[in-house]
Amino acid sequence: AIPVVHFWPRRLAVETTHPMHAGFDVAPRIETADAILALDMLVPWLPARHKLADGCRIVQIGPDPSFSLIPMRSFPGDVVIRSSVGAALQELGDALHPALPEHTKSVAAEILQERRRRAEAYAVPPSGLSTNAWVSHCLDRHKGDDAIVFGELGCDPAAMTFKHGDSYFGHPIAGGLGWGVPAALGAKLAKADRLVVACVGDGSYMFANPVACHQTAAALNLPILTIVFNNAVWNAVRKSTLAVYPKGHAAAANEIPLSSLSPSPAYETVVEACGGAGAPGGALGALARTVESVAAVERDRAGVAVGGAARLCGGPIDPGVARRRGSVAAVGRSTAGAHMACRRRDLRRSGHLSRAEARLSAPASSAPRCGSWSTCTSCRHSTTRACCPSRRSRCRRCCRCHRRSC
């Protein structure tokens, strides 16, 4: 019966529906805790904001619990254990006595009450502009339980529900801006049957090189939903400046230097440059409806072999939504010719088309065509035919005719 708090997590240790999941903010519990177990945490709390209870003991466990490569780190540790987290938790669980059922029920009931109170607060629409929590709440209602969300200074995970350990990934502290969208593309490549969402700030979206990301999504048929939380400011610089110099010259200025991202471009039109269709989200109700429709389309894609590409919607201040459509329909509608054969080759390499599906979707004609996809009869590796009559079904490496075409 130990409450678990995810403080700026890179990924989830337990699902948010677990009875012991106590949210993403350490403040409510760190001031009353008599002991804290930090599991491979570089920054388990913020000393300037969080005050530990008197006599609180700190236990740090991780492969490098002191983070020796970090030049400055001043978090105390009464017990510091160098171990993998999984092995340490197994040994710790075996050593601890089972919790009393009454205590477990009491703690679980307290956490459940806090969770319901937060859910009620997040369900109330803001009176003005959209907030990160409200956009996250809208997304959570329609994303489904198997969706994978990547958060990079965008969504508020406390306003969302994640029922699987691999459902949420936060940006690593070691990384720079621009991690979210490429990471989401990699997840879609590995989990093609799941909805993948990249929730990024407008600065993070700029640093991700969005044109390259959407072009890659279109080329490899990797449909993801990208939500741009547009507040027209580089908030990392702004918050850091105000935290260190709350009464400095920058805080007194109308606009903190080197933090503004105004004027904001029309982010929903970026995917149009890659062949997508974009539309601004507009009011709060329109944003909620757009998230619902995009998530529904993505869920309906489960029965389609090829299609889609990338989708984009804007965030709190200047919301916008776009959907990226693919240029190829379902498998089986391809026509004869080298172009579609090369298309099948690309799908085979990206894993969206099995070898059997590639053969079934091949043109009816059995005559070999220049540039068509086949298998080398010698080395059995897939290859592309050339115009060499001596080569036949052999790849360039196995062909011994020494012609220039090979």
Side-chain angles (χ1 to χ4, degrees), residues 34-88:
D34 53 4
I36 296 176
L37 174 62
L39 299 175
D40 197 19
M41 284 289 295
L42 175 62
V43 183
W45 66 86
L46 299 178
R49 301 181 186 177
H50 306 136
K51 179 177 176 57
L52 300 181
D54 295 336
C56 179
R57 297 181 63 84
I58 310 298
V59 180
Q60 299 196 42
I61 299 178
D64 184 10
S66 300
F67 292 88
S68 57
L69 298 180
I70 304 299
M72 295 182 61
R73 184 177 183 271
S74 56
F75 292 96
D78 298 286
V79 179
V80 180
I81 302 175
R82 182 186 295 271
S83 169
S84 66
V85 174

Side-chain angles (χ1 to χ4, degrees), residues 10-49:
R10 295 191 298 269
R11 60 177 302 170
L12 298 180
V14 296
E15 61 273 14
T16 59
T17 55
H18 192 279
M20 290 297 111
H21 183 267
F24 295 84
D25 186 7
V26 298
R29 295 190 173 273
I30 199 171
E31 296 180 356
T32 59
D34 53 4
I36 296 176
L37 174 62
L39 299 175
D40 197 19
M41 284 289 295
L42 175 62
V43 183
W45 66 86
L46 299 178
R49 301 181 186 177

Side-chain angles (χ1 to χ4, degrees), residues 73-385:
R73 184 177 183 271
S74 56
F75 292 96
D78 298 286
V79 179
V80 180
I81 302 175
R82 182 186 295 271
S83 169
S84 66
V85 174
L89 290 180
Q90 182 66 40
E91 294 293 333
L92 185 61
D94 296 339
L96 291 175
H97 296 289
L100 297 176
E102 296 79 8
H103 177 66
T104 302
K105 291 181 180 180
S106 175
V107 175
E110 179 185 352
I111 293 176
L112 181 60
Q113 185 178 3
E114 294 177 0
R115 191 179 301 166
R116 289 175 176 174
R117 186 167 56 250
R118 289 195 302 266
E120 293 176 358
Y122 291 134
V124 179
S127 57
L129 298 171
S130 298
T131 62
N132 292 39
W134 171 249
V135 178
S136 303
H137 171 74
C138 294
L139 173 64
D140 186 61
R141 288 187 299 173
H142 310 293
K143 65 179 178 60
D145 294 338
D146 62 341
I148 305 175
V149 177
F150 286 82
E152 185 184 11
L153 304 177
C155 66
D156 184 357
M160 308 178 73
T161 302
F162 303 102
K163 296 184 178 181
H164 305 283
D166 62 345
S167 295
Y168 176 80
F169 295 89
H171 67 282
I173 299 179
L177 289 180
W179 164 87
V181 179
L185 291 176
K188 188 64 178 180
L189 192 62
K191 300 289 185 179
D193 58 332
R194 298 174 64 177
L195 170 65
V196 178
V197 186
C199 298
V200 297
D202 47 347
S204 300
Y205 184 65
M206 290 181 179
F207 277 68
N209 197 349
V211 174
C213 290
H214 294 313
Q215 191 276 337
T216 301
L220 299 180
N221 285 280
L222 302 176
I224 65 172
L225 169 62
T226 303
I227 303 180
V228 177
F229 291 73
N230 178 19
N231 54 8
V233 63
W234 195 355
N235 224 14
V237 175
R238 178 180 174 275
K239 286 184 175 181
S240 300
T241 303
L242 294 178
V244 179
Y245 303 104
K247 299 181 180 180
H249 293 287
N254 293 331
E255 183 178 281
I256 295 181
L258 304 178
S259 65
S260 175
L261 296 178
S262 297
S264 295
Y267 294 111
E268 69 276 7
T269 63
V270 178
V271 290
E272 292 182 352
C274 300
L284 298 178
L287 177 61
R289 289 192 299 271
T290 303
V291 172
E292 179 180 5
S293 62
V294 171
V297 170
E298 187 59 28
R299 288 194 300 268
D300 294 342
R301 263 191 85 258
V304 181
V306 183
R311 295 167 174 83
L312 169 72
C313 73
I317 292 181
D318 185 17
V321 179
R323 290 189 296 173
R324 176 67 174 84
R325 303 180 183 275
S327 57
V328 183
V331 172
R333 296 184 180 179
S334 58
T335 57
H339 173 72
M340 292 309 298
C342 293
R343 186 62 176 167
R344 287 192 301 277
R345 175 198 64 193
D346 295 337
L347 294 174
R348 276 279 298 115
R349 290 180 175 176
S350 62
H352 289 280
L353 195 65
S354 65
R355 190 181 299 274
E357 290 173 331
R359 289 197 299 266
L360 290 176
S361 61
S365 175
S366 60
R369 292 178 176 268
C370 176
S372 61
W373 184 252
S374 65
T375 303
C376 177
T377 56
S378 299
C379 65
R380 308 305 301 174
H381 286 292
S382 297
T383 182
T384 304
R385 296 181 187 272

